[in-house]
Amino acid sequence: MAIIEAHQIRKSYGNLEVLHDVDLSVREGEILGLIGPSGSGKSTLLRILDLIEPPNSGKLSIFGIDTVKDHGRWLDLRRRMGMLFQRPIVFNASVYDNVAMGLRYRGTSRDDIDRKVKEALEAVGLSRYVKSRATDLSGGEQQRVALSRVLVTDPEILFLDEPTANLDPTSTATIEAIVTRLNREANMTVVISTHDLAQGQRLAHRVGVMIEGMIAQTGASREIFHEPKDRRIARFVGVQNIIPGRVVSRSDGLAVVEARGKQILSATPTPGEEVDMVIRGEDISLHRREPGFEEAENLFPATVTTIEPTAPFVNVTVHCGCDLAALVTARRAETLGLHDGMQVWVSIQAKAVHLIPRVQSG
C-alpha cells in the first residue's frame, strides 16, 4: 500500500527549476533511499513531501489525502511525520528540554512528556545525558538528540536528509542501526536522502536515483547498481566500465557485442544494435594463467597497463583490444603478483555484462 504518491511534481525558485516531472511512490513500512549528485533536488523533494513547502505544480497524496486540494489538513498531516536534517539542530538547553520541545508545543501533559522523552532518549542510547547541555555534546550525539526530538512525537513517516553526512563512522553506524530498528519494530516508513552509495544499499528496501531534478530510476539496490538504465546513472553509481559496442549476433539467450575488435557475450536482453556495455569492476576476475575450468562465458588474455591502490582494493586496468578496469582486493592483487606489462587472463560472466541503448550525440 502506498503511503505517499507524488505525480508530475515541479518546483522552481525564480528562474531555477529544481524539480520537474517527479513521480514517486512510497510504500507503507518501507525504507526508500534517494541517491543522486549534489544539486539533483533530493533535499527539495523531501521538504515538499514533508509539507514544509508546496510544489509549483503536480499532485501529492499523503495518507490518502490530496495535499494540493486540501491545504487545511497540512498541520494534521505534518504532525504524523518528522524530518531530521543534515546538520543537527539543538538548542542551548538540556537534552531533556531539547527533546521535550515539540511535545510542549502540542500541549502534551507533563507526565506524558516525561515518559515519552525518556523512551525516546533510551531508543537512541542517550539516557545518561538527559541533564547534559545539548550544545556540549559531540556532533554524533547532537544528531541523536535531534533524532530523538523527532521520534518523541511518534511519526508514522520519518524523513532523513543526509543525516550522517558530517558524522564519523561510529556515529553513522549508530544512526543507521536506530533507523533500521525503528523500521523493523515499529513499521515506520522512512525516506532517506544520502550521497553515501553504500549507505543507500545498506538501509533501503528500494532506491531512487535523482538526476537533474528527476527520478531517473527506482528499484532494488541490485537493479540500480548492476542494471542502470542509462550512462548517467551508471556513472553515478560507480560503474568503472562503460564501453560503446554493437550487437553482431544473438543465440541461446546470449548477445555477442563487438567493441573495438573484441567480442564479449552478454546475457542482457538486447535493447538494440548500438549499445553501451556496463560492467562493474568487481565483476571482472583476473588470473595468472588460463583457468582450467569453465568459470565464465567470457575468457581471454590481456595485459596489465595500470595499477592504482585504493585500499582495501586495487584498481587494475587491463588491455585486451579495449581497456577494462577490474577491482580486486589488495590481498588478491598481492597473490597474483600484479605489475605493469604482466600478461593475465580475464574472466567475466555474461550476466555481469549489462547492455543499455546507446544515446547518439548530436
Side-chain angles (χ1 to χ4, degrees):
M1 174 183 173
I3 201 168
I4 299 174
E5 291 276 6
H7 298 288
Q8 301 291 294
I9 295 294
R10 287 177 172 262
K11 183 65 178 181
S12 298
Y13 298 102
N15 295 323
L16 177 63
E17 188 174 48
V18 180
L19 300 176
H20 54 95
D21 298 330
V22 170
D23 291 323
L24 184 67
S25 177
V26 183
R27 303 166 190 157
E28 184 175 6
E30 80 167 331
I31 299 178
L32 176 70
L34 292 176
I35 62 175
S38 296
S40 59
K42 302 186 299 296
S43 295
T44 300
L45 178 57
L46 286 191
R47 291 173 65 85
I48 287 173
L49 297 181
D50 193 37
L51 301 179
I52 294 174
E53 55 183 287
N56 292 114
S57 63
K59 296 181 179 179
L60 176 59
S61 171
I62 302 177
F63 301 116
I65 297 169
D66 187 333
T67 66
V68 176
K69 292 182 178 178
D70 201 346
H71 278 263
R73 302 287 296 277
W74 276 34
L75 180 58
D76 289 340
L77 289 173
R78 288 213 66 210
R79 286 184 167 180
R80 298 173 67 181
M81 303 185 290
M83 170 84 90
L84 181 67
F85 297 96
Q86 176 177 343
R87 297 186 180 279
I89 300 173
V90 297
F91 304 98
N92 189 22
S94 69
V95 168
Y96 184 100
D97 287 338
N98 267 267
V99 178
M101 189 171 298
L103 295 176
R104 287 170 178 157
Y105 282 139
R106 298 182 184 201
T108 305
S109 71
R110 181 175 297 179
D111 288 345
D112 281 345
I113 289 175
D114 193 61
R115 174 179 57 82
K116 287 177 176 289
V117 168
K118 289 177 180 177
E119 288 176 353
L121 289 174
E122 178 69 27
V124 300
L126 289 180
S127 296
R128 65 186 182 278
Y129 295 117
V130 64
K131 295 181 180 179
S132 301
R133 190 165 297 276
T135 50
D136 291 339
L137 303 183
S138 70
E141 290 164 345
Q142 288 185 17
Q143 188 68 309
R144 280 191 277 161
V145 171
L147 177 58
S148 63
R149 188 168 58 234
V150 175
L151 298 182
V152 79
T153 61
D154 297 320
E156 296 169 60
I157 303 174
L158 177 63
F159 297 104
L160 305 171
D161 187 12
E162 302 277 8
T164 61
N166 301 308
L167 303 185
D168 60 84
T170 300
S171 297
T172 294
T174 300
I175 294 289
E176 289 182 1
I178 293 167
V179 171
T180 301
R181 187 177 72 247
L182 289 168
N183 171 257
R184 185 187 305 117
E185 296 179 0
N187 198 39
M188 187 179 292
T189 303
V190 180
V191 182
I192 176 173
S193 76
T194 178
H195 70 282
D196 184 340
L197 300 183
Q199 182 175 69
Q201 293 183 79
R202 285 193 299 269
L203 290 180
H205 301 124
R206 285 191 306 137
V207 175
V209 185
M210 291 198 70
I211 306 281
E212 297 173 359
M214 296 182 67
I215 302 286
Q217 184 176 354
T218 57
S221 290
R222 190 197 171 283
E223 294 174 38
I224 300 298
F225 288 85
H226 292 271
E227 301 173 5
K229 288 173 60 175
D230 60 41
R231 269 178 167 263
R232 300 173 307 166
I233 300 170
R235 287 196 191 98
F236 177 73
V237 298
V239 174
Q240 294 88 345
N241 303 282
I242 307 174
I243 305 166
R246 180 178 180 83
V247 177
V248 294
S249 66
R250 301 175 178 85
S251 64
D252 299 326
L254 298 178
V256 180
V257 184
E258 188 170 279
R260 300 168 190 150
K262 171 63 66 178
Q263 291 191 343
I264 296 178
L265 297 174
S266 169
T268 302
T270 54
E273 301 299 322
E274 301 294 330
V275 298
D276 283 323
M277 289 188 292
V278 174
I279 310 172
R280 295 197 68 88
E282 58 267 34
D283 289 330
I284 299 175
S285 297
L286 302 181
H287 315 266
R288 279 187 293 191
R289 58 185 64 88
E290 183 176 3
F293 53 91
E294 185 179 342
E295 180 175 281
E297 294 86 348
N298 296 290
L299 182 65
F300 42 81
T303 304
V304 175
T305 59
T306 308
I307 300 174
E308 297 177 341
T310 55
F313 299 100
V314 177
N315 284 312
V316 184
T317 303
V318 299
H319 184 72
C320 56
C322 62
D323 287 333
L324 291 172
L327 185 66
V328 300
T329 64
R331 180 73 67 188
R332 175 66 175 166
E334 182 181 352
T335 300
L336 291 171
L338 296 176
H339 57 82
D340 289 355
M342 179 179 178
Q343 300 299 304
V344 294
W345 281 82
V346 173
S347 64
I348 310 171
Q349 293 186 343
K351 65 182 181 181
V353 182
H354 178 62
L355 303 181
I356 57 178
R358 194 189 322 162
V359 178
Q360 303 294 332
S361 58

